[in-house]
Structure formats: C-alpha cells, structure tokens
Amino acid sequence: MALEPIQSNSMSQSERDALIEPLCAVFRRTLKEEGLKYTPERAAILDTIIEIDGLFEADTLLETMKSRGHRVSKATVYRTLKLLEQSRIIQQVLFDRDQSHYQLSMGKRGSTLIIHVDTGDVESAEIPELIVLRDKLCAERGLKPEGHRLQIYVTSSES
Amino acid sequence: MALEPIQSNSMSQSERDALIEPLCAVFRRTLKEEGLKYTPERAAILDTIIEIDGLFEADTLLETMKSRGHRVSKATVYRTLKLLEQSRIIQQVLFDRDQSHYQLSMGKRGSTLIIHVDTGDVESAEIPELIVLRDKLCAERGLKPEGHRLQIYVTSSES
DNA sequence: GTGCGTGCAAAGACTTTGCACGTAC
DNA sequence: GTACGTGCAAAGTCTTTGCACGCAC
C-alpha cells in the first residue's frame, strides 16, 4: 500500500515558512537540554520535514533530501527521526506492515487518518469529539491520556 | 515495548469452546471459496488463536503452538495469518515499530486499544460512540467505512 | 580539546519466498 | 492424481549499531 502525497492539511508556503523558526527553536532547546548538539544534518532534516508537510517515511525523507542537494546518511535520518519524536515535533502516525510513517505533530497529541484501502490514498482528518471520548474513557479508568492514533479504513462509496 | 498477556476481553472456557466450531466453519468456507485447502496446520493455528484469546504476535503464536505440541513452521504461521485476516477472522490491530499484532475480530470491524506507555501493558476497550463518529465522518465524505483502529496512549494517572 | 555526531557497512529483527516433498480433495 | 500446502533455509525490507573520523560547543 503506497503512500500518496495527497494531504488534506497542507499549508501555504508562508505558513510553512512561519513554522520553521519556532520548530527549530524547540528542537535546539530540547537538544541542549539533553546535552546534544544542533548539527547541520539535523537542521536540514527538520527543514525538509516541514517542507514535505504531510506523511512521510524514512526513505521518502532521505530521497527528498538527496533531490534537494542535502547529503545525509540513512543512519543519521533514523537517528534524527527518533530525536524529533522525543521532542514531540513529529509523531509516528501509522504503521503498515512495512515501515514507520511520521508527520509533524504541531502541538496536537493525536492523529486521525483516513486510509483508502482500494487506492492506498491517505488523508488526515480532525475529529475534535474524539478527544472528548478519549479523555472521558481515560478519566473513568484513572488514566492520563498521552496521545492517540486513529486509522479509519474506507472504500470509495459504493458497496 | 513488550506485550503483556493482560486482556480485558477474556472469555470463559465455555465461551471459547463455543467459538471454535463457527470460526472453523467460516474459515473452511472461505478457503473453499478460494479453492484452498483446510489442513491440520491451519486448523491448529486457528484453534490456538482462539485459545490465546487476546493480542498475539506471530512469534508468540508459534511458541504457544510448540508448547501445546503442535509442530508448525514459521512460514506456515505467517501464511495462515494472512489467510485468517482475509477471512476477517482475525485483524491486525496495532503495530509497533517491531512487529505485527493480531486479535480475533469476531464480527467487530474495529479495535480500540489502551496502551500504557510506561509499563507496556495493552488492554482492549469498547467505545460504541466512536463508531457513530466514524460513520458520520465517512458519510459526510461519501466514503464507506470498512473498519478502524484506535490506539490510546496513556500513563497511570499522576502527571 | 572533548564528547557528541556522522557515514559506512555490517548486523538485527521481522517477514516473505523458492524449492522439493507431502497431502487434502 | 493433481493442485495446493508445508518445512526449511535463503533472501528481502526496514531499522539499528559498531567504528573511525569529524565537528559543535
């Protein structure tokens, strides 16, 4: 099931630009807190992720970076994805049998994806009511919600 | 993140027994429809899954079967899991970075899991309202829901 | 200057596949 | 009797890791 570049939550160029600074700041701060360094490779990876603005896989990211003229190794991509996840800048949103998928989190602590099982298209959705349900369920059980992932599998209309 | 054997939806022995016959029947019928054969290995795999009655991984299943005295190969387990999924008898419910997880579907077309990020425990939950939200969202978009998976990540109470 | 980071290639983990033999129908 | 199934081992894919060199602080 290939991932299509179709995203429902795409930003304008200016929105993307406005995101780079703050996200870099967050990343730098988190790294510093852990005694880690802000390197050109890590900066380039975050930049590219913001540019992609949607779902991506480690491999896609690497290819995109290469096509942009950035030279980074696969190992560094994987290592940096892990750091960005720890910084809560990106989140793993869907796994198919084959590989991990990520997207920018931008403060939201959950992700809803609509997956077209016939075409393989994937689009993001927002279900605010879901947060309510989730928090209610957690409250009933004395649990603290840390995030969620919902995948809805659909076909295009006719049965 | 290891999977604990803790399940909230466990059945009594008699409930499990009552399940074996009909599920075998479904499996046999589906296989026949595809011109495939009902073999002792496939029967043993389904039996063991019903006995496990909860989340499992290919590897767990294989180990459980061995401990029950069933000799099956890893390859056959993987091949049979795929068939059972096609028959809608089991469903893939959660992927961590490492491997696929399955559970009996028993007619439900979705799965909600509460994942304790601190302990690694996983438990099932039911959120009937979620189906309503899901179907509403799909209806708005002219899509036909085929199923869903929700994972809720929690910690145990205190912040 | 030192410790963390990087690239490369090798290793790891899970899953799939090719092939010869076996068996359900 | 035939086509599908099985076990085994090898191959595949994605991801992680060991190591020597390099750079951010």
Side-chain angles (χ1 to χ4, degrees):
Chain A
M1 173 151 60
L3 225 60
E4 297 298 319
I6 299 164
Q7 302 298 330
S8 69
N9 60 338
S10 54
M11 295 176 279
S12 70
Q13 185 58 47
S14 59
E15 284 174 313
R16 261 196 299 278
D17 289 346
L19 218 62
I20 294 179
E21 287 266 356
L23 286 186
C24 285
V26 170
F27 196 25
R28 294 189 76 130
R29 179 162 46 75
T30 318
L31 288 173
K32 178 164 265 178
E33 282 170 12
E34 309 256 340
L36 304 176
K37 291 165 185 169
Y38 185 71
T39 65
E41 287 84 357
R42 290 176 180 170
I45 290 171
L46 178 51
D47 268 26
T48 309
I49 289 173
I50 294 171
E51 231 180 274
I52 289 176
D53 177 29
L55 284 169
F56 64 91
E57 307 136 43
D59 200 57
T60 324
L61 177 56
L62 191 54
E63 286 312 310
T64 308
M65 295 192 70
K66 276 183 186 160
S67 75
R68 298 278 194 284
H70 292 119
R71 264 171 282 96
V72 203
S73 72
K74 204 168 35 172
T76 296
V77 165
Y78 277 110
R79 289 188 276 232
T80 304
L81 286 177
K82 209 163 271 183
L83 291 173
L84 287 167
E85 215 185 337
Q86 286 165 21
S87 311
R88 295 202 176 274
I89 292 173
I90 63 171
Q91 55 186 185
Q92 259 186 338
V93 286
L94 171 145
F95 307 88
D96 58 24
R97 209 186 299 268
D98 302 324
Q99 62 197 131
S100 299
H101 301 270
Y102 301 86
Q103 72 180 9
L104 284 171
S105 18
M106 319 226 261
K108 51 178 166 169
R109 287 289 198 81
S111 154
T112 296
L113 294 179
I114 299 175
I115 298 151
H116 295 248
V117 294
D118 40 5
T119 64
D121 289 355
V122 181
E123 50 180 315
S124 297
E126 289 294 330
I127 313 187
E129 303 97 311
L130 178 56
I131 309 271
V132 177
L133 284 182
R134 181 195 77 180
D135 292 352
K136 198 182 79 180
L137 182 115
C138 287
E140 284 167 7
R141 299 174 184 230
L143 300 170
K144 177 163 176 274
E146 296 288 346
H148 68 265
R149 298 198 294 243
L150 173 61
Q151 294 104 44
I152 300 175
Y153 297 90
V154 304
T155 48
S156 300
S157 222
E158 62 275 80
S159 63
Chain B
M1 177 153 56
L3 224 61
E4 298 297 320
I6 300 165
Q7 301 300 327
S8 71
N9 61 337
S10 55
M11 294 177 280
S12 69
Q13 185 59 45
S14 59
E15 283 174 315
R16 263 195 298 279
D17 289 346
L19 217 63
I20 294 179
E21 286 266 355
L23 287 186
C24 283
V26 170
F27 195 27
R28 295 189 75 131
R29 180 163 44 76
T30 319
L31 288 173
K32 178 165 264 178
E33 281 170 13
E34 310 256 340
L36 304 176
K37 290 164 187 169
Y38 185 70
T39 65
E41 289 84 357
R42 290 177 181 169
I45 290 171
L46 177 51
D47 268 25
T48 309
I49 290 174
I50 295 172
E51 231 180 275
I52 290 178
D53 177 29
L55 285 170
F56 63 92
E57 306 136 43
D59 200 56
T60 323
L61 177 56
L62 191 54
E63 288 312 310
T64 308
M65 296 193 68
K66 276 183 185 159
S67 75
R68 297 280 192 283
H70 291 121
R71 263 173 281 96
V72 203
S73 71
K74 203 168 37 172
T76 297
V77 165
Y78 277 110
R79 288 187 277 231
T80 304
L81 285 177
K82 208 163 272 183
L83 291 173
L84 286 167
E85 214 186 337
Q86 285 165 22
S87 311
R88 294 202 177 273
I89 291 172
I90 63 171
Q91 56 186 183
Q92 260 187 336
V93 286
L94 171 147
F95 308 88
D96 60 23
R97 209 187 296 270
D98 301 325
Q99 62 197 130
S100 300
H101 301 270
Y102 300 87
Q103 73 180 10
L104 284 171
S105 16
M106 320 227 260
K108 48 178 166 167
R109 288 289 198 80
S111 154
T112 296
L113 294 180
I114 299 175
I115 297 149
H116 295 249
V117 294
D118 40 5
T119 64
D121 288 356
V122 180
E123 50 181 314
S124 298
E126 288 295 329
I127 312 187
E129 303 98 309
L130 178 56
I131 310 271
V132 177
L133 285 181
R134 179 196 78 180
D135 292 352
K136 198 181 79 182
L137 182 116
C138 287
E140 283 168 7
R141 301 174 184 229
L143 300 170
K144 178 163 176 270
E146 296 289 346
H148 68 264
R149 297 197 295 242
L150 172 62
Q151 295 102 46
I152 300 175
Y153 297 90
V154 304
T155 48
S156 300
S157 221
E158 61 274 81
S159 65

